[in-house]
Amino acid sequence: MAELKTGGRFKSAVCDGEVMVISAPADDLELTCGGSAMVAAGSDTADGAEIDPDHAVGIAMGKRYINAEETLELLCVKAGDGSLAVNGELLLLKDTKQLPKTD
């Protein structure tokens, strides 16, 4: 488990997915993508692991992902085939806010 810090970047060990931490609680959390632990961006990920079928929904670039309590927010900076989870709990896609009309 690792402490996630704002601005930290992580990449998946099983797909092309990469995320940046927007906000995180002070707790130690286990961040996974595709069922495997994510590693710091720039680290070597050649471990031969495959995506867990229960964690194969995928992540989309530019989308934000949150936990149910909304204490953790991640921004996807590179799309991938795995799903994001924290401590075994799948993360949710954050809803976008409608901007007001300007005439």
Side-chain angles (χ1 to χ4, degrees):
M1 293 191 176
E3 184 179 335
L4 303 178
K5 296 185 180 188
T6 301
R9 290 182 63 143
F10 296 89
K11 68 178 182 176
S12 173
V14 295
C15 69
D16 293 332
E18 290 187 29
V19 297
M20 182 172 68
V21 179
I22 301 300
S23 64
D27 304 335
D28 283 345
L29 303 172
E30 181 182 15
L31 179 60
T32 61
C33 182
S36 294
M38 294 188 83
V39 297
S43 300
D44 186 26
T45 59
D47 64 357
E50 294 185 17
I51 296 175
D52 180 341
D54 293 334
H55 294 263
V57 175
I59 55 175
M61 188 168 80
K63 299 296 182 183
R64 293 175 184 242
Y65 295 86
I66 56 172
N67 61 353
E69 299 82 24
E70 296 188 26
T71 57
L72 173 70
E73 184 174 341
L74 304 173
L75 172 66
C76 177
V77 294
K78 188 172 182 184
D81 296 327
S83 297
L84 297 171
V86 171
N87 296 339
E89 175 189 339
L90 289 174
L91 296 183
L92 308 168
L93 183 62
K94 185 175 181 179
D95 290 332
T96 57
K97 294 180 183 176
Q98 186 71 25
L99 296 174
K101 284 187 172 182
T102 57
D103 292 328

